[in-house]
Amino acid sequence: MTEAPYLSTTRTAYNTVAADYAEFVKNLMTEKPLDRAMLASFAELVLTDGGQVGDLGCGPGRVTAHLHSLGVNAFGIDLSPEMVAVARRMYPDLQFDEGRLTELDLKDASLAGAVAWYSIIHTPPALLPPVFAEFERVLAPGGHLLLAFQVGDNELRHIVQGYGHTVSLDAYRLSPEYITEQLKAAGFVMTAQLVRQPEAPETVPQAYLLARKPCL
Ligand SMILES: C[S@@+](CC[C@H](N)C(=O)[O-])C[C@H]1O[C@@H](n2cnc3c(N)ncnc32)[C@H](O)[C@@H]1O
């Protein structure tokens, strides 16, 4: 089966920058109390029910590891084999596998929680409904979903330089209203939304949306 072009270009770009991206984000979590607050609330919610949490689009695994430090049984999945290799090297005790947001190799209703931390930003906004349908499929009834992304009007930014490398990567700044609409259409109920102001080198507000698959 041929792959959508945005997947190949995203994979190639993250394969190129994997090691330097990992170095760049290594300590970022310690500088961002509101990001940690959202992850801590998410962790508390999923720990109440117990079960596994997928860090979907995990990159070098920093969020997987952070959730693990909070007691969450988290594993990571990423499109880029280089990112998965870096994550495995950095956190050898945790599980990381290759996979796509649109076709997760996970059973129906198998997760207590899913996080997509800045990983939906490379999917064209019009193609996000199948991604959210896949998140809904793999979450157990009552399961929690946490998304993080840069805020905008769903506009495309074409990136040609990143983390010291020449790349060709599309990224979208997403509208929280549009994402909320699409999550509801996929069957989620919204729990909370945080939009915080940018902190340098960020240039736009950052959004964190927490949603839940309804209980049976
Ligand atoms: C900006 S990085 C964020 C990585 C990590 N979540 C973090 O915050 O450090 C985006 C990551 O999402 C992954 N990604 C993007 N689109 C994906 C897709 N369709 N399926 C799986 N992973 C994807 C990329 O390979 C990359 O590692």
Side-chain angles (χ1 to χ4, degrees), residues 6-7 10-11 14-15 21 25 29 55-63 77-80 83 99-102 104 116-123 131 150 163:
Y6 82 89
L7 289 171
T10 303
R11 183 188 295 106
Y14 278 104
N15 278 344
Y21 176 87
V25 296
M29 200 64 82
D55 178 7
L56 309 175
C58 62
R62 66 184 176 123
V63 171
I77 290 179
D78 201 276
L79 183 64
S80 153
M83 278 295 193
R100 302 175 191 174
L101 300 182
T102 37
L104 296 165
W117 200 256
Y118 295 97
S119 59
I120 60 166
I121 61 171
H122 302 296
T123 301
V131 171
Q150 294 93 352
Y163 312 102

